[in-house]
Amino acid sequence: MNTANVAGKMLTALVLGLCLIVFGVGAQAAPKKLLVVTVTKGFRHSSIPTAEKVLGDLAQKTGDFTVDYVRDDTEMAEKMTAAALANYDGVIFANTTGILPLPDKQAFLDWIKSGKAFIGMHSACDTFHGPNGTVDPYTEMIGSEFKEHHAQAEVDCINQDPKHPADKSLPPSWHLKDEIYLMKNFERSKVHGLLTLDKHPNDKTPGDYPIAWCKEYGKGRVFYTSLGHREDVWDPNTAPSFKRENPKDVSELYQKHILGGIRWALGLEEGNAKP
Ligand SMILES: [Zn+2]
């Protein structure tokens, strides 16, 4: 090997190294881009403006991600085509309901499968029910479907994975009041459990009543929590007109719960997703 050859190889190695440093650091520092979807075609929760504000505040406070909102059909038609979705790293369905007018639902699901993040709160599970009792592909993606709820209830959520980013700030048993969903088309063997109840939220019959979980979807990551009906679950600083029933620490823990779920789904933090 002559000297010129060696010098050439060293130069190549140096340039490659510099590229790795520049792009490596750049990728780490750039915030991820999330779409926050709050379109409803069924029940519309009064907590939606609170949810939008809390997610925007979390984005700003952490610098982990930016949020762009999809609040109506026009914004959905613009920002959720296959081409437009390519600009984002993931999506948050915050209390969506009903059959949403996605420009191309299959392209949306394929986009998640390609390695994007899907985060759902509360009625994200009350979205896209299949016709005549069939299971919609969206339900398979999120991992369950809302069946019914009864009166709001005080429950003790069992922390199923204290090591997971979504659970690491929560106590072993987390007491709160919310509207608690009863699910259908849920298969424990297809998700990684994060929060559950060991008794029915209302009549207290023993059983398994899933509250939050995560799962892989192709190369994508899905995080869902059924909590988030009440304003005082989302926000420790609700308006004076809102009659608080949850102490502030419930909302502070909820924000840590969803932030951990968001960070995990975006691949910013690792956690078990195996069933
Ligand atoms: Zn609700």
Side-chain angles (χ1 to χ4, degrees):
M1 195 183 288
N2 62 35
T3 319
N5 230 340
V6 172
K9 281 192 175 151
M10 283 172 72
L11 187 66
T12 310
L14 185 68
V15 169
L16 275 174
L18 280 173
C19 282
L20 277 175
I21 289 164
V22 169
F23 287 104
V25 169
Q28 203 174 18
K32 302 280 187 178
K33 294 173 77 180
L34 282 176
L35 264 185
V36 173
V37 182
T38 52
V39 179
T40 53
K41 294 294 164 186
F43 181 78
R44 186 162 183 89
H45 284 83
S46 60
S47 55
I48 284 179
T50 304
E52 289 174 347
K53 178 178 88 66
V54 165
L55 291 167
D57 288 349
L58 285 176
Q60 226 164 15
K61 207 163 66 184
T62 63
D64 288 340
F65 54 94
T66 59
V67 291
D68 196 359
Y69 294 94
V70 172
R71 293 183 165 112
D72 57 37
D73 293 7
T74 310
E75 289 181 343
M76 186 165 277
E78 281 168 11
K79 298 178 186 174
M80 297 187 79
T81 61
L85 284 171
N87 298 317
Y88 297 97
D89 299 298
V91 69
I92 300 180
F93 275 31
N95 283 344
T96 51
T97 50
I99 311 287
L100 303 177
L102 282 175
D104 184 343
K105 192 167 89 183
Q106 192 53 52
F108 170 69
L109 295 170
D110 291 342
W111 170 78
I112 301 169
K113 266 188 188 157
S114 77
K116 304 294 182 176
F118 178 93
I119 297 112
M121 286 87 172
H122 193 55
S123 59
C125 250
D126 191 15
T127 303
F128 288 119
H129 297 282
N132 309 315
T134 54
V135 181
D136 193 271
Y138 171 90
T139 298
E140 285 170 18
M141 179 277 294
I142 197 168
S144 186
E145 187 174 7
F146 164 76
K147 186 177 76 178
E148 60 181 345
H149 68 78
H150 302 285
Q152 293 183 19
E154 290 191 33
V155 292
D156 294 296
C157 302
I158 299 164
N159 185 337
Q160 295 176 286
D161 183 357
K163 287 189 180 139
H164 195 280
D167 277 15
K168 67 182 185 187
S169 305
L170 305 179
S173 174
W174 183 24
H175 187 87
L176 55 86
K177 178 174 182 173
D178 205 4
E179 178 188 85
I180 304 298
Y181 277 2
L182 301 173
M183 300 293 185
K184 61 181 180 180
N185 297 317
F186 173 82
E187 288 180 60
R188 180 60 74 197
S189 63
K190 290 187 176 171
V191 305
H192 179 77
L194 294 172
L195 293 173
T196 192
L197 307 179
D198 61 4
K199 49 180 99 59
H200 187 288
N202 305 95
D203 68 23
K204 308 298 177 190
T205 310
D208 177 24
Y209 297 92
I211 298 287
W213 57 83
C214 65
K215 64 195 283 280
E216 286 166 347
Y217 183 64
K219 291 181 198 155
R221 288 181 172 190
V222 175
F223 165 75
Y224 171 75
T225 181
S226 73
L227 303 173
H229 173 93
R230 294 178 57 87
E231 277 88 328
D232 63 2
V233 168
W234 280 93
D235 189 356
N237 305 307
T238 47
S241 56
F242 185 86
K243 191 176 164 288
R244 280 200 83 86
E245 292 185 58
N246 280 301
K248 286 193 174 194
D249 76 302
V250 164
S251 351
E252 285 157 6
L253 289 175
Y254 182 71
Q255 291 192 9
K256 289 178 180 172
H257 173 52
I258 59 173
L259 180 62
I262 292 168
R263 284 178 51 81
W264 172 80
L266 284 170
L268 296 173
E269 217 171 317
E270 287 310 310
N272 194 353
K274 300 291 171 214

